[in-house]
């Protein structure tokens, strides 16, 4: 599992951290990766929180200019954000054929057809996030099939040439 985001609460980093601890405790073979920079401000995740998640097995890879290698080493992309525009990190993961677990929140929900290319979960719900993550652990055959559907959606709906053509029409 991989999450790429600035380390902000409203990106769902705390929910991911908590779900990752639970998943790793129940399934020690699972890997949960986190990529992203610390962000200044009142919504930032603290170093103490991050250190607790790392002590529980979360793998923090720091900030990356190029996230493709991190996406390549993950099987499932997770973004439990509270709200987004269209999340670029989800589109990048879809373009690399990864199934998605994200929230049923504006912006995020438009990228996933629940049960087809991933799962939608409620906002601020680490228990639901863990449950969605475990669906892939219990049924790994979902990974290639849902990942393939993500790739197809990325090609058909989010191809930059198609998006630009639509904007030029307007």
């Amino acid at each position: 599992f991989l999450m790429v985001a600035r380390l902000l609460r409203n990106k769902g980093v705390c929910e991911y951290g908590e779900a990752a601890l639970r998943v790793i405790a129940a399934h020690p073979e699972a890997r949960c990766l986190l990529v992203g920079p610390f962000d200044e401000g009142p919504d930032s995740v603290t170093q103490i929180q991050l250190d607790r998640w790392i002590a529980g097995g979360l793998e923090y890879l720091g900030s990356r200019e190029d996230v493709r290698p991190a996406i390549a080493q993950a099987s499932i992309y997770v973004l439990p954000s509270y709200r987004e525009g269209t999340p670029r990190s989800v589109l990048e993961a879809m373009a690399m054929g990864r199934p998605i677990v994200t929230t049923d929140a504006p912006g995020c929900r438009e990228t996933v057809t629940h049960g087809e290319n991933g799962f939608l979960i409620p906002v601020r719900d680490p228990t639901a996030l863990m449950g969605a993550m475990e669906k892939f652990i219990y049924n790994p055959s979902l990974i290639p099939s849902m990942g393939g559907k993500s790739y197809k959606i990325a090609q058909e709906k989010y191809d930059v040439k198609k998006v630009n053509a639509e904007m030029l029409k307007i």
Side-chain angles (χ1 to χ4, degrees):
F1 300 95
L2 170 68
M3 178 179 183
V4 176
R6 290 177 294 140
L7 302 187
L8 297 171
R9 283 191 212 75
N10 68 23
K11 295 291 184 184
V13 176
C14 293
E15 288 77 7
Y16 180 66
E18 294 306 313
L21 292 183
R22 296 176 193 177
V23 166
I24 293 165
H27 309 278
E29 73 283 5
R31 293 182 64 205
C32 296
L33 312 175
L34 175 63
V35 170
F38 273 97
D39 200 288
E40 296 299 320
D43 196 43
S44 294
V45 169
T46 67
Q47 185 67 52
I48 292 168
Q49 288 172 304
L50 181 61
D51 289 344
R52 186 172 72 78
W53 299 328
I54 292 169
L58 178 79
E59 298 174 47
Y60 177 58
L61 306 179
S63 183
R64 301 282 170 98
E65 288 293 320
D66 184 357
V67 297
R68 290 174 296 179
I71 296 170
Q73 75 179 51
S75 299
I76 299 103
Y77 186 76
V78 179
L79 183 67
S81 183
Y82 301 175
R83 64 191 171 281
E84 294 285 330
T86 301
R88 183 181 201 133
S89 65
V90 170
L91 298 182
E92 291 169 338
M94 290 171 65
M96 291 182 67
R98 298 302 180 261
I100 308 298
V101 176
T102 193
T103 51
D104 189 8
C108 296
R109 75 171 63 105
E110 286 74 25
T111 62
V112 171
T113 301
H114 185 76
E116 292 292 317
N117 71 310
F119 298 108
L120 294 172
I121 58 160
V123 174
R124 301 176 193 244
D125 191 340
T127 301
L129 177 55
M130 178 189 179
M133 293 166 75
E134 283 186 314
K135 287 179 183 179
F136 291 105
I137 293 170
Y138 294 131
N139 192 355
S141 66
L142 292 174
I143 296 168
S145 64
M146 287 187 169
K149 288 176 183 161
S150 281
Y151 181 73
K152 186 175 180 183
I153 292 168
Q155 284 184 311
E156 292 174 358
K157 187 174 179 182
Y158 295 108
D159 178 85
V160 71
K161 292 176 185 166
K162 291 178 182 178
V163 171
N164 288 345
E166 287 298 314
M167 289 190 318
L168 289 172
K169 283 182 193 177
I170 295 169

